[in-house]
């Protein structure tokens, strides 16, 4: 009975404890939790966000599965897009003990109040502040509940790359939102080898007028790029479109891409006035992608009833709605973890004399970090899709719709996602497949571009509103067939000029240009200085536009006149070399070129020792040595078993010499009986066959073909000598010879014309001339067409070509390259070449310079193979002799205790090697084999081979 009472008391005690804990958990949840909302009420985003937040709070409070008895109370404040007002309203929030703030809408305001939120540990959840820099470690309590502009700029970059544009102009609002967004755009474009060629900032003040925008757009119109990225707020954006339309910047050839600010207006305020829609025809713009769902469609239906169709729902409203639910779930998890909403005064504010500001009312949210962690660890599905943050505190799987303004509305031409890039398939469908960002899978539907055209804009035009291109042309005084200026005129002619003028007619657009001569007309100009005029001019353009504070439609100033003295391109015989490609862009080469060596030559006459010329001295020596080595190896292998390789020492030496030399003519009479000797001889006869064939062919060429010779064999012989070397004035050959080849500048002689070439080569180094001339092949071929006493020696030791030079990243260089390729394919390039450069050549053009001798390097593989065969055969032979010696050594010992001396062993080994091999056993086996033959066969064989019969009789007598 006592035990039963005790059990009842224990049960009641446990029940009391559990009831107390449950009541404590319920009582720790307050009846109301205050949250704040800070945005601009009268903006296109703010009007939608206000209704969305109110409806979200209603839905949360009506849902019994979340917060369980606790109600959300939202306090909305108007920041009026002002950083100062936003900061004041945020500090007023801190006096009302809010646990989180939805907003702010503006990135500028977010930068200011994020510092306050960090100190007071109150999370900020912004549905519209997309500045990428806000998502940094500097602002730990700031959470972007919408995709950051870092992803939006990645989408813009992919669109730019998709249409093949390489440079864009960025027009942006000059505040934190605009600057940081364009900075992200520049980084993303660089990843795709594109760039922002010009940035135009618009003042963020609300007082910006049309004149300011007009000045900006006039500067933009003078730029080369025709692709405009517009990253501003809605008020400024529509003003920009209006002014651009008046400046005819919304017509053919232009491409405009607006960021998500345009979608917020088109979604919420559609339809816009016809005048506004006309000003944005053909514009591409992005909108945050939110996947379709039953819940989203239901909310849209509910929205139309709430607003009676007077206000559309944009994507920012959806993100604002989901932000409320995100806070509600985080607060619910906060309470489940035992979190208590409590605030404490900041001790640092006690020492500040507030002067009536009541700073003591601002308090720190004690468990603010716990609530922040719950927000970042949330994983739920809202109207915008899945809400989950990655390790960088960004929403996972960001995606955008790519839209095109057309007619009275717009159409979606595709999607962009960080997972699959550009596609016409909704991203949520592709999430089930492996990621594929290959260029082949990037796809968008057709676009109606500005000017009501389906033709994709080229993306660029000539700078300064189509001004004539100033093209620098060198004034040559030599080799005028390539480039020459008509006397007392501004016209040019020549091979290079014809190629340029013909290619430029193939471009799909007109190009206005004028040739500007460069040089004094007395000497060939420096081509390095000529091409550098392009880069110097570009630097001045950038400097002028960067420092100018006034519009460029004012009268031309002195600084602008100075600017125009430089070139937009260079046309002529411009070699494409490494140093120039670092600072310029070149077209496709229209002439193959490279440095060659020109030297005088003489005819090679036959002399008494001409037969030695086919082989080099080293090859003769190695070949002769191998003859005797092979003869010696065969003698060693045959000496014990072959009587023809035996006899007195003198006879054997003569036999070795005769045998080795006779293999040259395959006339050796000595039979080989050893398998090893036959193997060595077979390899050697193959080597002899190859050597004989090459010698015969080379000697025939020397004796029958007219040969030319020169003491200069190529660039290497010039480098090793100390004789003077000529080069053309203005050519890059001087730099290459001195810096790359290593020839001293004191040896280099500048020559200005073909006549000077011929005179210096004829004089030679002994009489004040040069030993050779190094120049580019086209010049040399033209020079040799009229000079029959000089020839190219050695090989071309550089590979390059001639092209037309343009500024770095110039799209005209790409189009001109395509035109040059077309000239090459249709044969026009060859016809131009024949017109200017095909001249009568010397009658001795068929003569050839002295062919190089055959060297050991051409045959070392054969000699190596033969040497290995000899070495292997000798090794096997030594093993056989050693085996015989080891067997014979015990039988020859006088007693078991007597150890033979080393000299004695060597003598016995040499005796064994010199001793004729006993072939008795082999002969007995042979006789047994012969007895198996029939008598008739033996008689027939004897009649056919009487000598063999005589030999067999001799062997039989010897055996008896």
């Amino acid at each position: 009975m006592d035990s039963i009472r005790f059990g009842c008391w224990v049960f009641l005690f446990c029940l009391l404890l559990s009831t107390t804990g449950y009541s404590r958990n319920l009582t720790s949840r307050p009846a109301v939790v205050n949250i704040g909302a800070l945005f601009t009420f009268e903006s296109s985003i703010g009007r939608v966000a206000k209704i969305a937040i109110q409806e979200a709070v209603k839905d949360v409070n009506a849902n019994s599965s979340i917060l369980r008895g606790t109600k959300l109370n939202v306090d909305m404040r108007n920041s009026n897009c002002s950083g100062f007002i936003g900061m004041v309203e945020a500090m007023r929030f801190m006096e009302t003990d809010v646990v989180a703030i939805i907003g702010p809408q503006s990135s500028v305001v977010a930068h200011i109040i994020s510092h306050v939120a960090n100190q007071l540990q109150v999370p900020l959840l912004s549905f519209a502040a997309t500045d990428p820099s806000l998502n940094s470690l500097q602002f730990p309590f700031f959470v972007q509940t919408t995709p950051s502009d870092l992803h939006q700029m990645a989408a813009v970059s992919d669109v730019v790359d998709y249409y093949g544009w390489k440079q864009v102009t960025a027009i942006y609002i000059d505040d934190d939102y605009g600057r940081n967004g364009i900075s992200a755009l520049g980084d993303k474009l660089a990843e795709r080898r594109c760039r922002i060629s010009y940035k135009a900032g618009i003042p963020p003040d609300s007082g910006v007028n049309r004149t300011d925008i007009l000045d900006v757009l006039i500067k933009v119109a003078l730029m080369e790029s025709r692709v405009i990225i517009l990253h501003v707020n809605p008020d400024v954006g529509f003003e920009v479109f209006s002014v651009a339309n008046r400046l005819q910047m919304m017509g053919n050839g232009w491409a405009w891409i607006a960021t998500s600010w345009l979608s917020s207006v088109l979604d919420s305020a559609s339809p816009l006035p016809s005048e506004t829609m006309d000003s944005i025809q053909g514009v591409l713009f992005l909108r945050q992608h939110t996947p379709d769902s039953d819940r989203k469609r239901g909310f849209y239906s509910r929205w139309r009833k709430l607003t009676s169709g007077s206000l559309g729902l944009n994507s920012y409203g959806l993100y604002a709605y989901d932000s409320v639910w995100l806070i509600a779930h985080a607060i619910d998890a906060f309470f489940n973890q035992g979190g208590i909403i409590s605030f404490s005064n900041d001790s640092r504010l006690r020492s500040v004399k507030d002067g009536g500001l009541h700073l003591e009312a601002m308090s720190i949210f004690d468990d603010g970090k716990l609530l922040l962690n719950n927000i970042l660890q949330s994983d739920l599905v809202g109207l915008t899709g899945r809400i989950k943050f990655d390790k960088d505190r960004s929403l996972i799987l960001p995606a955008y719709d790519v839209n095109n303004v057309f007619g009275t509305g717009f159409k979606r031409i595709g999607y962009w996602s960080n997972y699959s890039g550009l596609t016409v398939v909704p991203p949520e469908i592709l999430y089930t497949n492996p990621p594929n960002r290959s260029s082949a899978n990037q796809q968008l539907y057709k676009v109606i571009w500005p000017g009501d055209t389906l033709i994709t804009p080229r993306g660029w035009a000539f700078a300064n509103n189509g001004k004539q291109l100033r093209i620098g042309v060198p004034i040559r005084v030599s080799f005028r067939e390539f480039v020459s200026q008509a006397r007392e005129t501004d016209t040019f002619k020549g091979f290079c000029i014809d190629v340029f003028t013909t290619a430029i007619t193939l471009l799909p657009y007109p190009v206005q240009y004028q040739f500007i001569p460069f040089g004094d007309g007395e000497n060939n100009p420096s081509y390095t200085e000529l091409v550098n005029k392009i880069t110097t001019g570009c630097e001045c353009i950038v400097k002028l536009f960067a420092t100018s504070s006034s519009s460029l439609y004012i009268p031309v100033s002195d600084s602008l006149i100075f600017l125009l003295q430089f070139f937009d391109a260079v046309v002529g015989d411009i070699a494409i070399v490494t140093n120039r490609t670092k600072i310029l862009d070149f077209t496709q080469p229209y002439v193959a070129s490279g440095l060659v060596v020109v030297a005088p030559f003489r005819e090679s006459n036959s002399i008494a020792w001409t037969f030695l010329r086919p082989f080099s001295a080293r090859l003769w020596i190695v070949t002769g040595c191998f003859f005797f080595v092979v003869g010696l190896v065969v003698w060693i292998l045959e000496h014990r078993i072959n009587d023809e390789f035996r006899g007195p020492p003198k006879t054997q030496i003569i036999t070795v010499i005769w045998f080795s030399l006779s293999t040259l003519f395959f006339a050796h009479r000595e039979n080989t009986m050893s398998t090893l000797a036959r193997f060595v001889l077979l390899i050697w006869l193959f080597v002899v066959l190859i050597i004989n064939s090459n010698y015969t062919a080379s000697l025939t060429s020397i004796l029958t073909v007219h040969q030319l010779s020169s003491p200069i064999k190529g660039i290497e012989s010039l480098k090793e000598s100390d004789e003077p070397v000529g080069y053309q004035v203005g050519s890059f050959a001087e730099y290459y010879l001195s810096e790359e080849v290593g020839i001293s500048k004191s040896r280099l002689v500048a020559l200005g014309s073909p006549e000077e070439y011929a005179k210096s080569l004829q004089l030679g180094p002994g009489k004040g001339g040069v030993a050779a001339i190094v120049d580019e092949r086209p010049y040399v071929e033209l020079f040799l067409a009229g000079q029959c006493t000089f020839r190219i020696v050695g090989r071309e030791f550089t590979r390059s070509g001639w092209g037309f030079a343009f500024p770095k990243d110039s799209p005209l260089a790409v189009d001109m390259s395509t035109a040059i390729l077309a000239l090459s394919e249709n044969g026009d390039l060859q016809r131009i070449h024949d017109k200017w450069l095909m001249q009568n050549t010397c009658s001795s053009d068929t003569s050839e310079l002295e062919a190089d001798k055959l060297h050991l390097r051409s045959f070392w593989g054969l000699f190596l193979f033969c040497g290995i065969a000899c070495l292997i055969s000798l090794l096997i032979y030594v093993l056989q002799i050693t085996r015989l010696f080891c067997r014979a050594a015990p039988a020859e010992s006088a007693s078991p205790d007597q150890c033979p001396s080393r000299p004695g062993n060597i003598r016995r080994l040499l005796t064994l090697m010199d001793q004729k091999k006993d072939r008795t056993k082999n002969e007995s086996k042979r006789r047994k084999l012969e007895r198996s033959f029939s008598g008739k066969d033996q008689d027939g064989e004897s009649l056919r081979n009487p000598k063999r019969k005589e030999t067999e009789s001799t062997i039989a007598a010897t055996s008896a």
Side-chain angles (χ1 to χ4, degrees):
M1 192 67 177
D2 293 337
S3 60
I4 295 175
R5 290 179 181 176
F6 177 76
C8 292
W9 281 108
V10 171
F11 174 75
L12 291 174
F13 180 74
C14 293
L15 182 62
L16 179 62
L17 288 178
S18 61
T19 304
T20 304
Y22 177 72
S23 62
R24 181 180 301 174
N25 188 31
L26 289 178
T27 56
S28 65
R29 289 175 177 260
V32 176
V33 175
N34 294 320
I35 62 173
L38 183 64
F39 52 90
T40 303
F41 290 174
E42 300 304 320
S43 66
S44 58
I45 296 176
R47 288 193 296 269
V48 174
K50 184 177 182 179
I51 300 175
I53 293 174
Q54 290 173 345
E55 292 303 309
V57 172
K58 290 180 183 178
D59 293 343
V60 169
N61 291 334
N63 194 325
S64 59
S65 64
I66 188 172
L67 293 181
R68 292 192 295 274
T70 300
K71 301 296 182 179
L72 279 183
N73 177 48
V74 59
D75 183 10
M76 296 187 184
R77 303 290 176 89
N78 187 3
S79 66
N80 201 24
C81 280
S82 170
F84 175 74
I85 296 177
M87 180 184 64
V88 172
E89 295 295 345
M91 297 181 70
R92 290 178 59 190
F93 276 138
M94 305 310 173
E95 297 178 356
T96 58
D97 294 339
V98 298
V99 298
I101 299 175
I102 298 177
Q105 170 187 335
S106 169
S107 298
V108 176
V109 178
H111 274 277
I112 296 174
I113 68 173
S114 290
H115 295 285
V116 178
N118 290 345
Q119 295 299 322
L120 302 181
Q121 299 183 7
V122 176
L124 297 175
L125 284 77
S126 178
F127 57 90
T130 55
D131 181 357
S133 65
L134 289 170
N135 201 21
S136 65
L137 298 177
Q138 182 182 4
F139 308 110
F141 280 84
F142 184 86
V143 180
Q144 287 175 325
T145 59
T146 186
S148 165
D149 276 344
L150 184 67
H151 303 295
Q152 181 172 207
M153 295 310 172
V156 172
S157 301
D158 278 352
V159 172
V160 170
D161 185 57
Y162 176 79
Y163 290 111
W165 301 321
K166 294 301 180 184
Q167 55 184 4
V168 302
T169 296
I171 301 177
Y172 62 98
I173 195 76
D174 196 6
D175 58 11
D176 293 328
Y177 160 73
R179 284 191 302 269
N180 294 329
I182 295 302
S183 177
L185 175 63
D187 294 338
K188 294 300 180 180
L189 286 174
E191 294 176 3
R192 292 153 182 81
R193 304 189 68 179
C194 306
R195 68 185 182 94
I196 301 175
S197 60
Y198 181 65
K199 298 178 181 179
I202 296 178
D205 299 335
S206 59
V208 61
N209 52 41
R210 292 176 65 91
T211 302
D212 297 330
I213 295 176
L214 181 65
D215 290 344
V216 169
L217 291 183
I218 288 177
K219 293 179 182 180
V220 170
L222 295 176
M223 297 296 104
E224 191 174 74
S225 173
R226 288 295 182 264
V227 181
I228 312 299
I229 310 300
L230 191 58
H231 187 55
V232 294
N233 55 47
D235 295 336
V236 174
F238 284 105
E239 193 68 28
V240 169
F241 282 131
S242 176
V243 176
N245 198 43
R246 292 180 180 273
L247 293 177
Q248 298 182 353
M249 296 174 64
M250 301 296 296
N252 286 336
W254 290 87
W256 289 77
I257 302 176
T259 52
S260 57
W261 65 267
L262 182 56
S263 68
S264 66
V265 179
L266 292 177
D267 287 337
S268 60
S270 182
L272 295 175
S274 59
E275 182 180 356
T276 303
M277 291 301 299
D278 290 342
S279 67
I280 60 175
Q281 290 296 303
V283 174
L284 298 182
F285 68 93
L286 300 181
R287 176 177 58 190
Q288 294 91 340
H289 174 73
T290 55
D292 290 332
S293 63
D294 294 338
R295 186 179 176 189
K296 176 182 172 183
R297 285 190 291 269
F299 189 76
Y300 266 97
S301 177
R302 176 181 168 189
W303 184 271
R304 285 190 291 269
K305 294 179 181 179
L306 287 171
T307 61
S308 301
S310 62
L311 182 64
L313 176 60
N314 55 42
S315 57
Y316 290 104
L318 298 177
Y319 283 107
Y321 181 91
D322 283 350
S323 297
V324 175
W325 277 93
L326 179 62
I327 292 178
H329 281 278
I331 293 174
D332 187 53
F334 173 81
F335 289 145
N336 291 336
Q337 295 169 359
I340 299 175
I341 296 179
S342 62
F343 296 86
S344 59
N345 293 329
D346 190 346
S347 59
R348 291 169 294 182
L349 296 178
R350 297 173 184 173
S351 59
V352 178
K353 295 181 180 180
D354 52 18
L357 291 178
H358 303 288
L359 296 178
E360 70 280 358
M362 300 180 62
S363 54
I364 298 174
F365 182 18
D366 295 329
D367 286 336
K369 291 183 179 180
L370 178 60
L371 180 60
L372 175 65
N373 290 334
N374 288 329
I375 292 173
L376 296 177
Q377 294 173 7
S378 298
D379 188 0
L380 61 147
V381 178
L383 298 180
T384 59
R386 187 180 180 187
I387 304 174
K388 181 178 175 60
F389 298 93
D390 58 19
K391 62 180 181 180
D392 295 326
R393 303 192 310 163
S394 299
L395 288 175
I396 63 172
L397 303 176
Y400 289 86
D401 297 336
V402 184
N403 302 294
N404 178 212
V405 178
F406 176 63
T408 58
F410 59 90
K411 64 176 181 178
R412 183 168 53 207
I413 62 171
Y415 307 89
W416 179 92
S417 70
N418 198 36
Y419 189 80
S420 56
L422 296 173
T423 176
V424 295
V425 180
E428 55 270 16
I429 297 177
L430 298 177
Y431 292 154
T432 59
N433 302 325
N436 191 341
R437 296 292 300 271
S438 64
S439 58
N441 284 346
Q442 304 301 294
Q443 187 179 4
L444 292 174
Y445 290 124
K446 291 291 185 179
V447 176
I448 305 297
W449 298 101
D452 195 19
T453 178
L454 290 173
I455 301 175
T456 302
R458 190 171 68 249
W460 67 275
F462 296 109
N464 200 14
N465 202 16
K467 74 176 181 65
Q468 284 188 335
L469 294 180
R470 294 178 59 86
I471 299 178
V473 181
I475 304 178
R476 294 197 59 87
V477 296
S478 62
F479 299 109
R480 294 171 58 84
E481 292 83 355
F482 296 105
V483 178
S484 63
Q485 183 181 17
R487 296 183 180 277
E488 299 180 356
T489 66
D490 293 334
T491 60
F492 287 83
K493 61 182 180 179
F495 169 70
C496 302
I497 301 299
D498 278 6
V499 172
F500 176 80
T501 55
T502 306
I504 209 166
T505 59
L506 299 180
L507 298 181
Y509 47 86
V511 178
Q512 299 180 4
Y513 62 89
Q514 58 176 332
F515 291 134
I516 308 298
F518 180 81
D520 56 12
E522 298 179 358
N523 297 289
N524 290 333
S526 169
Y527 280 41
T528 301
E529 294 180 6
L530 174 60
V531 297
N532 283 343
K533 292 296 183 181
I534 299 178
T535 59
T536 306
C538 291
E539 291 172 359
C540 288
I541 290 175
V542 173
K543 182 177 180 181
L544 176 66
F545 289 140
T547 58
S548 177
S549 59
S550 61
S551 60
L552 292 185
Y553 58 89
I554 59 176
V556 179
S557 63
D558 294 339
S559 61
L560 190 58
I561 293 175
F562 174 75
L563 170 68
L564 296 179
Q565 297 304 311
F566 297 98
F567 303 132
D568 301 308
V570 169
V571 170
D573 45 340
I574 312 298
I576 304 174
V577 295
T578 304
N579 289 339
R580 295 172 183 172
T581 57
K582 294 178 180 178
I583 58 175
L584 299 171
D585 274 354
F586 284 87
T587 62
Q588 171 80 15
Y590 59 89
V591 170
S593 181
L595 293 178
V596 293
V597 178
V598 180
F601 69 92
R602 56 180 175 82
E603 296 184 4
S604 299
N605 299 321
S606 299
I607 58 176
W609 302 101
T610 301
F611 69 91
L612 295 177
R613 285 172 54 187
F615 288 174
S616 64
R618 183 176 298 179
L619 182 57
W620 276 119
I621 293 172
V622 172
T623 303
C625 291
F626 259 84
F627 270 105
F628 292 102
V629 168
V630 171
L632 181 61
V633 170
V634 172
W635 176 83
I636 293 174
L637 298 175
E638 292 287 319
H639 180 67
R640 296 187 67 245
I641 61 175
N642 195 337
D643 290 336
E644 295 181 357
F645 288 89
R646 298 184 64 82
K650 180 179 179 181
T651 303
Q652 296 182 47
I653 292 174
I654 294 174
T655 299
V656 170
I657 296 174
W658 165 253
F659 178 82
S660 60
L661 295 179
S662 61
T663 57
L664 176 63
F665 312 100
F666 304 98
H668 51 285
R669 297 181 179 179
E670 292 78 9
N671 294 322
T672 52
M673 303 177 66
S674 159
T675 302
L676 294 177
R678 290 174 180 175
F679 170 70
V680 171
L681 187 60
L682 178 65
I683 300 299
W684 173 242
L685 291 178
F686 175 73
V687 174
V688 170
L689 175 64
I690 300 299
I691 292 176
N692 275 340
S693 301
N694 283 273
Y695 176 84
T696 303
S698 181
L699 183 60
T700 301
S701 176
I702 291 173
L703 295 178
T704 58
V705 179
H706 189 56
Q707 297 288 320
L708 310 175
S709 65
S710 172
I712 305 298
K713 302 302 179 183
I715 188 64
E716 292 299 328
S717 59
L718 280 180
K719 181 180 178 180
E720 295 171 357
S721 67
D722 57 355
E723 296 176 337
V725 180
Y727 69 93
Q728 185 181 173
V729 174
S731 171
F732 77 97
E734 178 187 11
Y735 171 84
Y736 188 88
L737 292 174
S738 61
E739 301 297 331
E740 301 295 335
V741 179
I743 297 177
S744 173
K745 289 187 177 181
S746 60
R747 293 176 53 196
L748 300 180
V749 179
L751 303 174
S753 65
E755 292 76 16
E756 292 185 25
Y757 280 17
K759 182 179 179 180
S760 298
L761 289 173
Q762 290 170 354
L763 290 176
K767 298 181 180 179
V770 296
I773 292 175
V774 176
D775 205 350
E776 295 179 71
R777 181 175 286 276
Y779 301 123
V780 170
E781 290 177 348
L782 193 60
F783 167 68
L784 295 180
Q787 298 290 337
C788 300
T789 57
F790 312 110
R791 285 293 180 273
I792 296 175
V793 295
R795 299 179 178 179
E796 189 174 300
F797 55 93
T798 65
R799 294 286 182 181
S800 61
W802 289 356
F804 304 131
F806 291 89
K808 203 69 175 174
D809 299 324
S810 171
L812 186 57
V814 178
D815 292 347
M816 284 295 291
S817 295
T818 305
I820 290 173
L821 288 176
L823 289 179
S824 178
E825 292 172 358
N826 62 25
D828 287 343
L829 189 60
Q830 184 62 42
R831 284 190 287 271
I832 297 173
H833 177 275
D834 296 343
K835 171 186 174 182
W836 289 99
L837 305 181
M838 287 297 291
Q839 301 181 5
N840 295 328
T841 56
C842 297
S843 58
S844 59
D845 278 345
T846 56
S847 302
E848 297 182 0
L849 284 174
E850 180 182 4
D852 291 337
K853 295 181 177 181
L854 296 175
H855 296 276
L856 178 61
R857 61 176 176 268
S858 302
F859 302 96
W860 72 269
L862 286 173
F863 287 121
L864 177 63
F865 184 45
C866 183
I868 292 174
C870 293
L871 186 62
I872 293 175
S873 299
L874 287 176
L875 181 61
I876 296 175
Y877 177 77
V878 170
L879 293 175
Q880 292 175 348
I881 292 298
T882 304
R883 183 180 179 185
L884 291 176
F885 176 76
C886 292
R887 290 180 178 179
E892 295 178 359
S893 300
S895 63
D897 298 333
Q898 182 180 356
C899 295
S901 62
R902 181 174 297 178
N905 287 337
I906 295 176
R907 284 194 298 271
R908 281 190 293 275
L909 179 61
L910 294 177
T911 302
L912 179 62
M913 294 176 64
D914 185 61
Q915 183 180 359
K916 182 172 174 56
K917 182 178 180 181
D918 185 7
R919 303 180 58 87
T920 304
K921 296 181 180 180
N922 293 337
E923 291 299 334
S924 62
K925 292 180 181 179
R926 181 179 177 183
R927 285 196 297 271
K928 291 179 181 180
L929 181 63
E930 290 175 350
R931 291 192 190 103
S932 65
F933 295 138
S934 63
K936 184 177 178 180
D937 292 339
Q938 291 178 1
D939 293 341
E941 181 65 23
S942 298
L943 291 175
R944 288 192 299 268
N945 193 351
K947 184 176 180 179
R948 177 176 177 181
K949 180 177 181 181
E950 181 182 351
T951 303
E952 292 174 353
S953 301
T954 304
I955 294 173
T958 305
S959 302

